[in-house]
Amino acid sequence: MSTQAKARSLFDPTIVRGALVDSLRKLDPRVQVRNPVMFVVLVGSVLTTALFVQALLSRGEAPAWFIFAVSLWLWFTVLFANFAEAMAEGRGKAQAESLKRARRDLTAKKLAEPPGRGFDPTSAKYVDTTSAFLRKGDIVLVTAGEFIPSDGEIIEGIASVDESAITGESAPVIREAGGDRSAVTGGSRSTSCWPGSPSSSCSPP
């Protein structure tokens, strides 16, 4: 399978709704204290709100409208910071869940036998299965342009792998058998394999 998940909108309604709720939950001092800077702003927001109420009772040292403006700005700062943090967390969780679903739905070419010397992917015998049915020790064939169905290690060949869906890094990385960089991650895509013929392959278990 070579389909790619559709990118989420920056302001996905589901993520925004969850972030709005989480931004209020994060007002809990026990949560906010983990971020000392915003905790101080939260304390300032509470104090200025109290001073505003005091000013309304004609016992304030500054005009009520001025204290209200300061208090409003401080509350906006705290809530916006919490909202931005919750949005980032929500998008990260959504991306991780999307990647998990994609990995479950990927089709894998499971080899009938381990590749030997002079392995030729064009004549290799394999059965198509979903990545959910792969088990430790299984060997699959991945050709250029295909998604890697499961976490594993390259045991034959070399490939340029696009890991942007996982790491966010746009530049492909080189993965090859027998080296320190032989591990591959399920959900990443093989953009090219060597040798450079269309039938070239990499085989991660």
Side-chain angles (χ1 to χ4, degrees):
M1 188 177 77
S2 59
T3 57
Q4 191 168 12
K6 184 172 65 175
R8 284 181 175 269
S9 169
L10 179 62
F11 295 102
D12 186 288
T14 304
I15 297 178
V16 171
R17 285 194 295 268
L20 287 173
V21 174
D22 287 343
S23 63
L24 296 177
R25 289 176 179 171
K26 289 177 180 292
L27 290 176
D28 186 339
R30 293 170 297 181
V31 176
Q32 205 70 62
V33 74
R34 299 172 187 171
N35 187 337
V37 174
M38 296 315 302
F39 179 74
V40 171
V41 178
L42 176 63
V43 172
S45 303
V46 175
L47 291 177
T48 53
T49 301
L51 291 174
F52 170 66
V53 174
Q54 185 184 49
L56 288 179
L57 299 176
S58 301
R59 291 184 293 183
E61 298 181 359
W65 65 267
F66 176 77
I67 300 176
F68 175 75
V70 174
S71 178
L72 186 64
W73 184 255
L74 290 175
W75 279 114
F76 172 78
T77 302
V78 174
L79 289 173
F80 182 78
N82 288 346
F83 176 75
E85 183 180 4
M87 279 288 290
E89 292 174 353
R91 288 183 64 82
K93 291 177 181 178
Q95 186 176 8
E97 184 60 31
S98 177
L99 183 60
K100 287 180 181 179
R101 288 197 301 268
R103 289 174 62 174
R104 286 196 298 266
D105 297 336
L106 287 176
T107 298
K109 298 176 181 178
K110 182 178 177 181
L111 293 176
E113 56 185 26
R117 179 174 297 181
F119 174 70
D120 182 7
T122 59
S123 59
K125 296 180 180 180
Y126 61 83
V127 292
D128 289 329
T129 183
T130 59
S131 57
F133 291 99
L134 292 177
R135 296 294 181 266
K136 183 177 180 180
D138 289 342
I139 301 175
V140 299
L141 175 69
V142 181
T143 57
E146 295 182 339
F147 284 88
I148 296 172
S150 178
D151 295 348
E153 185 175 352
I154 295 179
I155 60 174
E156 184 74 25
I158 180 173
S160 176
V161 181
D162 179 6
E163 298 181 341
S164 58
I166 301 163
T167 64
E169 194 66 41
S170 58
V173 294
I174 303 300
R175 297 288 183 261
E176 60 181 322
D180 295 334
R181 298 179 177 272
S182 59
V184 290
T185 306
S188 55
R189 186 169 65 92
S190 172
T191 58
S192 63
C193 297
W194 282 271
S197 64
S199 63
S200 60
S201 67
C202 15
S203 311

